[in-house]
DNA sequence: AAGTGGTCTAGACCACTTG
DNA sequence: AAGTGGTCTAGACCACTTT
């Protein structure tokens, strides 16, 4: 071998940026741009390796990371697919409220969701800041009431830029088949990959109290969630008011091994 | 090559149990048994590969998983070490309370911890069940008050089997240098690798209220945590009462990418 | 210079799914 | 039987840390 060429020529030479990260970035870009749509199957690993001019092992490393992030799904013998925010296993990545009597870490229950309000509005300053928008930018304001075991337990207030969901209307929102994030993904190509949440105790505002069957001012759990897409870009701001008399917020800190 | 032998003979033949998991299990066993003490350095990857009669790549896969679980720590050019539950980066794996004004996901503050009570007692039925103990088994009951920004914010009630921490006494507990989980690990070889938490709103009991400077019955956040060691074995039960007037519980759902 | 982990390759073989 | 991902190997070379 002459000198520094390993075997085949990689992407570039100077400022060599770690191949498997390049591959991963490109896969993410192709998912975002719709080349690989949600639920779609990726080329097999040998093909991907050829396209990127890297070895199969390097492709596997990139794919493995995206699988760990719930972006891709591998199925042995079938192929690798772009993850969808629809199905059971994805629902509870974001819905952390479960019945108190439920088994520890056990199967959880799907909520009944009722749309309470759908409006167009403008972003308040703190909302604009959190969502990286201009102050006063157009946003949707959506309110939902979620019921578990037949009881209204959660009151959600959602704020999201209209620019991200062009043409969304009340009918479209209500007639969705899966989750809200599933709608963002399937109808607008916007994939939620994570969220930051902050929880505290609050006194129920009159509207929340009425919706949840509580006295105004009753103590409730307040969850402020900033949902993120790739590269931690903020997408949606959501405040959930939860009646925790019979339900808990469940959190798993490293369920390793 | 004759037939089924790849190159060198692996651990066993029939019911071949996936080599990198075997290696991982053995590494965990060696950490639990003290062969590799907390903070100690592991043999280099070539040596480990020889010992386990597998390739370096297989060792690397096992080690990589344990690094992801915060059990091992890799340092390029230096070696691989058994993680310690002491340092800054480990503290906030379990302390999720942060000032509301703090930057989102930014650096957090270390608490001042004051021991409020230390007693020997017996496990109540629900405690015994959660901790997989016999009803009435001997336990320590420890209470702490944690302060942030000079204000008492958290009241912790800890229950843990005496059998797991033989000879622990109040002086030893108070004179620890690091965190409580750091003490479990350094003094008793007991490593906490994760926890399940359930949160809800509660009314402050008189003792908690007094300790946190609240009116009795004031709304507080109640966190019930079951801390786990390897193989999800339950170790410690802890109920934290939190005054969330100026502090939040922060949770990150998949901070991917 | 020597030793460590980090990246990447190339290829063998196994396990699973589908036609 | 053909195609997919899953495991494992053996070895090259790079980046970093320490002596």
């Amino acid at each position: 071998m002459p000198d520094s060429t390993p075997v085949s020529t990689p992407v570039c030479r100077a400022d060599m940026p770690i191949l498997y990260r390049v591959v991963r970035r490109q896969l993410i870009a192709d998912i975002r741009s719709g080349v690989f749509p949600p639920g779609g199957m990726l080329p097999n690993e040998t093909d991907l390796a050829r396209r990127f001019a890297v070895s199969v092992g390097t492709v596997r490393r990139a794919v493995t990371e995206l699988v760990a992030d719930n972006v891709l799904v591998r199925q042995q013998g079938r192929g690798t697919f772009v993850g969808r925010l629809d199905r059971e296993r994805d629902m509870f990545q974001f819905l952390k409220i479960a019945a108190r009597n439920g088994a520890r870490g056990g199967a959880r229950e799907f909520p009944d969701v009722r749309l309470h309000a759908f409006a167009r509005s403008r972003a308040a300053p703190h909302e604009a800041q959190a969502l990286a928008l201009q102050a006063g930018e157009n946003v949707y304001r959506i309110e939902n009431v979620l019921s578990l075991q037949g009881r209204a337990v959660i009151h959600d207030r959602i704020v999201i830029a209209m620019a991200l969901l062009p043409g969304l209307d009340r009918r479209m929102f209500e007639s969705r088949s899966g989750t809200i994030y599933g709608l963002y993904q399937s109808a607008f190509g916007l994939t939620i990959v994570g969220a930051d949440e902050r929880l505290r105790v609050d006194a129920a505002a009159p509207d929340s109290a009425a919706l949840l069957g509580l006295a105004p001012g009753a103590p409730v759990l307040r969850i402020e969630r900033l949902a993120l897409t790739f590269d931690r870009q903020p997408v949606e701001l959501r405040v959930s008011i939860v009646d925790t008399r019979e339900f808990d917020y469940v959190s798993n800190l490293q369920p390793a091994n």
Side-chain angles (χ1 to χ4, degrees), chain A:
Chain A
M1 213 72 71
D3 54 38
S4 62
T5 61
V7 159
S8 70
T9 323
V11 178
C12 64
R13 222 24 224 159
D15 65 286
M16 248 274 275
I18 302 185
L19 287 185
Y20 75 88
R21 297 226 168 251
V22 174
V23 173
R24 182 162 152 279
R25 287 229 142 251
Q26 187 57 46
L27 289 174
I28 289 175
D30 288 344
I31 292 167
R32 298 187 73 166
S33 70
V35 175
F36 303 138
M41 182 171 141
L42 264 62
N44 71 51
E45 299 180 340
T46 325
D47 279 359
L48 285 174
R50 258 196 298 273
R51 295 190 194 196
F52 292 118
V54 299
S55 78
V56 176
T58 299
V59 167
R60 279 192 64 77
R61 178 151 185 188
V63 170
T64 298
E65 288 194 2
L66 292 174
V67 168
D69 293 345
N70 288 318
V71 172
L72 295 178
V73 179
R74 279 201 181 112
Q75 290 181 252
Q76 189 176 26
R78 300 226 310 127
T80 302
F81 304 84
V82 180
R84 301 180 59 171
L85 294 175
D86 261 356
R87 314 195 358 248
E88 307 198 3
R89 39 173 290 285
D90 301 307
M91 173 93 225
F92 301 116
Q93 178 177 351
F94 296 103
L95 178 62
K96 311 299 273 184
I97 304 297
R100 182 154 309 147
N101 55 349
R104 208 144 197 143
R108 296 217 284 262
E109 183 195 0
F110 283 87
D112 287 330
V113 185
R114 183 175 67 78
L115 179 61
H116 176 250
F118 184 103
R120 292 170 178 79
S121 175
R122 291 173 181 277
H126 76 279
E127 294 165 344
Q129 194 199 345
L131 293 170
L133 303 175
Q134 306 295 334
E137 202 162 328
N138 289 326
V139 296
Y140 297 105
R141 290 188 186 277
I142 302 169
E143 294 187 45
N144 280 315
V145 177
L146 281 69
S147 296
L148 291 163
Q149 301 181 350
R151 302 188 33 161
V153 174
I154 306 171
H155 175 210
D156 277 347
R157 277 195 193 83
I158 296 171
V159 179
I160 183 167
M162 288 178 63
L164 291 174
L165 310 176
L168 177 68
D169 60 20
R170 186 181 183 117
R171 189 174 301 107
M172 189 174 172
F173 188 86
E174 277 195 286
S175 65
R176 71 181 185 277
S177 63
T179 67
I180 295 173
Y181 292 164
L183 174 68
Y184 295 171
Q185 184 184 57
S186 61
F188 303 96
L190 182 62
T191 299
I192 304 296
V193 299
D196 291 337
E197 296 195 331
R198 296 186 78 103
L199 285 68
R200 64 189 205 237
V201 176
D202 202 357
D207 60 342
S208 295
L211 291 168
L212 301 179
L214 296 168
V220 289
L221 182 64
R222 179 188 190 278
I223 306 171
E224 184 173 312
R225 174 197 296 172
L226 185 63
L228 310 167
T229 186
F230 300 101
D231 301 316
R232 294 189 60 81
Q233 282 184 18
V235 166
E236 181 210 73
L237 190 61
R238 179 184 298 211
V239 175
S240 300
I241 302 299
V242 186
D243 172 7
T244 61
R245 287 176 303 179
E246 299 185 9
F247 296 85
D248 292 329
Y249 179 97
V250 304
S251 178
N252 287 73
L253 282 43
Q254 299 273 121
N257 303 113

